Amino acid sequence: WIAIGEPGANDPGGTAGGIAPGAVHLARRAGGTWSITASLRASAGDGGWLGAGLALAGEDLIAGAPVARDPASGARTGAALHFQCRDGAWTLRRVLRVPGLPAGAGLGSAVALSDGALALGAPGDDRHGEDAGAAFVGSLRGGRLARIAAPRPAAGAGFGAGLAFGTVSGWAPEGPRRFLAVASHLDPEVPPIPGAVELFGYREPEPVLLAGPAPCPAPPAAAPPASPPAPHPPNPPKRCPNANTQTAGA
């Protein structure tokens, strides 16, 4: 399977107040040709740029809808939808939300999935300052989503803007075998905030920070203009050692 997000789908006339519900398309290869065999859409209230974040593992799909409404508060805090494929048919299993997020948190802007573990990013969360961001981890089996604490929270950091799981074979038995990289973004409205990546070891129920932050390198400063070479002093006139100099008298 290949999952293709179309967060701007289903709202050509602006009927949702400028917020497109979005869609996710599933393509499958048959006879050497890829074709879309299913299109997934959220029910009313659960969508809002569905497909902005996607993670596909086996027959499980997590699709982010970062401007979906929270039915409890009515605010557009975002959500993520868990779809599952059984006998070739994709169905919605559950909608993932985090209570208490502010409007504009953007939950589902980034998603990750690995061996039954999931992670959701909310780079617009304001708990530690405007757009400081947040990330959450949990299990596909259900249960609560645990908040990952940013090592250095700061307004504008956008913690949770990017997520990726990884595993390491041959790790020590007492250590974690699954890892989660959480990226922060560069906020153009807060110039001093650089992008960064933190690496967490994850073993239920809580992630543990292993390394970070690893800042993205800043662009090299422009080299000052080269100074023009200093002019060489003029060579003194040469005189013949045996020349006879005469001075005319008045």
Side-chain angles (χ1 to χ4, degrees):
W1 293 99
I2 293 178
I4 306 164
E6 190 182 0
N10 304 329
D11 191 24
T15 56
I19 302 299
V24 178
H25 309 289
L26 279 303
R28 201 169 192 177
R29 186 176 181 179
T33 302
W34 287 92
S35 58
I36 293 176
T37 60
S39 293
L40 309 178
R41 293 171 174 81
S43 59
D46 293 333
W49 296 354
L50 179 68
L54 289 174
L56 177 63
E59 296 185 331
D60 290 293
L61 170 69
I62 300 295
V67 292
R69 288 191 185 276
D70 183 337
S73 66
R76 291 193 177 277
T77 60
L81 283 66
H82 175 201
F83 295 93
Q84 196 169 57
C85 183
R86 288 289 182 268
D87 299 323
W90 289 90
T91 57
L92 177 64
R93 292 293 305 275
R94 64 173 175 146
V95 180
L96 301 155
R97 292 187 174 90
V98 175
L101 289 179
L107 183 69
S109 296
V111 299
L113 187 58
S114 173
D115 296 329
L118 64 92
L120 308 178
D125 182 61
D126 297 335
R127 173 181 286 192
H128 297 292
E130 184 179 1
D131 294 339
F136 303 86
V137 291
S139 171
L140 278 178
R141 298 189 302 270
R144 73 182 184 92
L145 294 170
R147 178 185 284 263
I148 301 176
R152 297 192 302 179
F159 183 73
L163 299 167
F165 276 113
T167 57
V168 173
S169 59
W171 192 259
E174 66 274 11
R177 301 182 66 87
R178 181 181 293 122
F179 302 88
L180 176 65
V182 183
S184 302
H185 62 58
L186 176 66
D187 188 341
E189 297 180 356
V190 188
I193 301 296
V197 176
E198 278 82 29
L199 182 65
F200 294 83
Y202 179 62
R203 186 167 57 187
E204 293 185 42
E206 301 291 343
V208 178
L209 179 67
L210 296 180
C216 300
S227 301
H232 293 287
N235 294 326
K238 294 182 179 181
R239 299 181 60 187
C240 297
N242 298 324
N244 180 24
T245 302
Q246 296 180 356
T247 303

